[in-house]
Amino acid sequence: QKEVEQNSGPLSVPEGAIASLNCTYSDRVSQSFFWYRQYSGKSPELIMSIYSNGDKEDGRFTAQLNKASQYVSLLIRDSQPSDSATYLCAVRRRSQGNLIFGKGTKLSVKP
Amino acid sequence: NAGVTQTPKFRILKIGQSMTLQCTQDMNHNYMYWYRQDPGMGLKLIYYSVGAGITDKGEVPNGYNVSRSTTEDFPLRLELAAPSQTSVYFCATDYGTGGEQYFGPGTRLTVT
């Protein structure tokens, strides 16, 4: 089983819709969770971090964490064409140290 | 405040050549990391450092070396470049307290 799994997509949504991106992880002791956005040819840009069960909202973005199900998701409300990018889920297993990345989900928002 | 900078942006190497990828940060972060990203793949950890003078291997260290003489700099050395090292290399940093990690702009390396 891969450590961090994401659907590679592409996920296509119309402009103004809600985009839902999902991620599962295998190590139950994982402690912190991150979503990065990566535009083609660019570096990963941190958009959300979440450390405890529940929802965390920041503008149009909501991260959801369910440690019992080992599942983390990212909702993007009112999707814009500028949200078209690859979204990387990353997990940190211990209290510090490197991140384990999924392969990313490619999102396409159609005008 | 430049954050995390990397040089060069692009480089083409011939098989067997060597080079050093530079990474510098002005965020006063203790931890620094080198990742590589192959097309359609997630990032894989090459080496990391928890502070000046301390480095350790990651998931894919073969063919690479690092050093950390200062808090700010964490160069990655490729010896005897091979086509399998064609990739995009990202340097990242954080405080080492479990918080957020920030990435440099990357170096795109081609070995032919």
Side-chain angles (χ1 to χ4, degrees):
Chain A
Q1 182 185 8
K2 295 190 177 73
E3 293 198 62
V4 180
E5 292 205 57
Q6 297 180 253
N7 188 325
S8 61
L11 173 65
S12 184
V13 300
E15 184 175 355
I18 295 175
S20 178
L21 303 159
N22 303 315
C23 173
T24 58
Y25 59 95
S26 61
D27 193 336
R28 192 169 284 278
V29 303
S30 297
Q31 298 200 11
S32 46
F33 308 85
F34 305 88
W35 283 100
Y36 286 83
R37 178 175 62 198
Q38 188 175 27
Y39 293 114
S40 182
K42 301 295 186 182
S43 63
E45 174 193 7
L46 181 68
I47 53 172
M48 289 289 286
S49 59
I50 187 165
Y51 302 96
S52 55
N53 280 329
D55 295 0
K56 179 182 178 183
E57 186 174 318
D58 184 1
R60 295 187 296 113
F61 299 99
T62 298
Q64 300 174 315
L65 174 61
N66 183 327
K67 288 188 177 182
S69 301
Q70 295 174 240
Y71 175 93
V72 58
S73 65
L74 179 71
L75 300 177
I76 306 175
R77 289 182 300 281
D78 188 23
S79 295
Q80 301 297 309
S82 59
D83 294 326
S84 297
T86 296
Y87 289 79
L88 302 172
C89 173
V91 172
R92 181 180 277 123
R93 286 183 291 193
R94 304 183 309 276
S95 60
Q96 59 199 29
N98 65 286
L99 301 177
I100 309 297
F101 284 86
K103 292 184 180 180
T105 298
K106 187 169 183 177
L107 173 66
S108 177
V109 181
K110 305 292 187 187
Chain B
N1 190 345
V4 185
T5 58
Q6 292 182 239
T7 57
K9 287 188 170 53
F10 304 94
R11 182 75 185 268
I12 298 174
L13 280 182
K14 294 191 184 303
I15 294 171
Q17 288 184 322
S18 301
M19 75 165 294
T20 298
L21 284 67
Q22 302 290 347
C23 175
T24 300
Q25 55 107 357
D26 64 1
M27 305 175 78
N28 203 29
H29 284 166
N30 295 321
Y31 282 46
M32 297 185 75
Y33 310 84
W34 276 105
Y35 295 92
R36 60 176 285 174
Q37 186 178 35
D38 299 322
M41 304 293 286
L43 288 84
K44 293 190 185 298
L45 183 69
I46 305 171
Y47 270 96
Y48 68 99
S49 169
V50 304
I54 306 170
T55 63
D56 207 348
K57 295 178 180 179
E59 182 183 359
V60 289
N62 291 344
Y64 307 95
N65 273 302
V66 294
S67 59
R68 181 101 182 266
S69 56
T70 67
T71 300
E72 294 79 19
D73 299 302
F74 189 40
L76 178 72
R77 177 84 178 160
L78 278 71
E79 305 281 0
L80 298 174
S84 60
Q85 293 178 305
T86 294
S87 191
V88 182
Y89 292 84
F90 292 105
C91 177
T93 73
D94 62 42
Y95 282 114
T97 55
E100 298 163 349
Q101 194 167 110
Y102 296 93
F103 283 78
T107 294
R108 187 174 297 271
L109 175 68
T110 302
V111 182
T112 61

